[in-house]
Amino acid sequence: MQQCEHRSNENCRLMGRPCYGAKYDSTSGKYSIDPWVERACPNYIAVEGDELKPPTPKNAQVVIRIFGPKKLAEACSSDDEECVVETLELDQEILQNLFNRIYGGKVAVESVDTSSEDVSMFPEVKRLLDGGAKLVVTINDEVKFVGSIPLPLIKMEIEKLGVDRINPGDPQIRR
């Protein structure tokens, strides 16, 4: 994971205090680093490591799985110099970050490459993929959408399951 060049755990060696992005959790009595906030620090310098990914909630009320090929689409500009490659992992990261902000860690988003062995654990999804479906979305292991990732409909399904949107100013929010 990338982090501030001067960070050691939650403390900044340069400033001698908690780092930008450190949040105090009163229940555990410890600081945790929000990598998205840390990255917004004006003095942020990435160190070598993996790409920054949104945290996946461990005890989520809702688990969304996106089944599809690793590489979903490629869009190139007319001069063929710049190409944007949409990947399954990129869609998963974008949705996880969005749902973390909307639902405060109550929704986990996972991606499953259709060429992996993991698909066999989901017989209904496997049947749809064998039948020609390219993309399948499940919510709490129930197939909900085939062929696309319809964000407004996914939000409706999440809220049908009793997950409320968070208020950003609510002090009771724990992530």
Side-chain angles (χ1 to χ4, degrees):
M1 175 182 291
Q2 295 178 341
Q3 65 182 31
C4 176
E5 179 183 35
H6 304 289
R7 178 159 66 81
S8 173
N9 295 324
E10 73 277 352
N11 293 312
C12 178
R13 292 188 301 262
L14 187 64
M15 304 297 283
R17 62 180 184 207
C19 284
Y20 192 91
K23 292 182 178 180
Y24 184 74
D25 181 4
S26 59
T27 56
S28 68
K30 296 180 181 179
Y31 282 93
S32 64
I33 298 294
D34 183 334
W36 296 96
V37 173
E38 181 182 51
R39 196 172 208 182
C41 174
N43 297 327
Y44 177 81
I45 299 171
V47 293
E48 293 295 319
D50 296 334
E51 289 184 30
L52 180 65
K53 294 184 177 184
T56 302
K58 302 220 183 314
N59 297 318
Q61 284 179 258
V62 176
V63 177
I64 298 171
R65 287 191 181 89
I66 306 167
F67 296 82
K70 258 188 166 176
K71 184 177 173 182
L72 297 175
E74 188 170 322
C76 296
S77 63
S78 58
D79 57 8
D80 290 328
E81 288 183 21
E82 287 188 31
C83 290
V84 176
V85 179
E86 181 185 1
T87 65
L88 189 62
E89 287 181 348
L90 178 63
D91 282 354
Q92 180 263 328
E93 288 178 33
I94 290 169
L95 285 175
Q96 185 65 67
N97 189 39
L98 174 68
F99 292 148
N100 284 350
R101 292 177 187 272
I102 295 174
Y103 302 109
K106 295 176 186 171
V107 176
V109 181
E110 299 174 0
S111 60
V112 181
D113 180 13
T114 52
S115 64
S116 76
E117 297 287 324
D118 296 340
V119 175
S120 62
M121 297 185 324
F122 305 91
E124 189 175 354
V125 172
K126 185 163 177 25
R127 184 181 55 75
L128 289 167
L129 293 170
D130 290 345
K134 299 288 182 211
L135 191 72
V136 178
V137 177
T138 65
I139 299 177
N140 288 349
D141 294 331
E142 184 179 334
V143 173
K144 291 291 183 178
F145 308 103
V146 178
S148 68
I149 306 171
L151 185 58
L153 297 176
I154 291 173
K155 285 194 236 176
M156 272 183 15
E157 290 292 328
I158 291 169
E159 290 169 16
K160 272 192 218 176
L161 292 169
V163 178
D164 295 323
R165 291 174 182 244
I166 62 169
N167 285 327
D170 188 351
Q172 297 175 0
I173 297 171
R174 287 190 208 107
R175 294 180 190 217

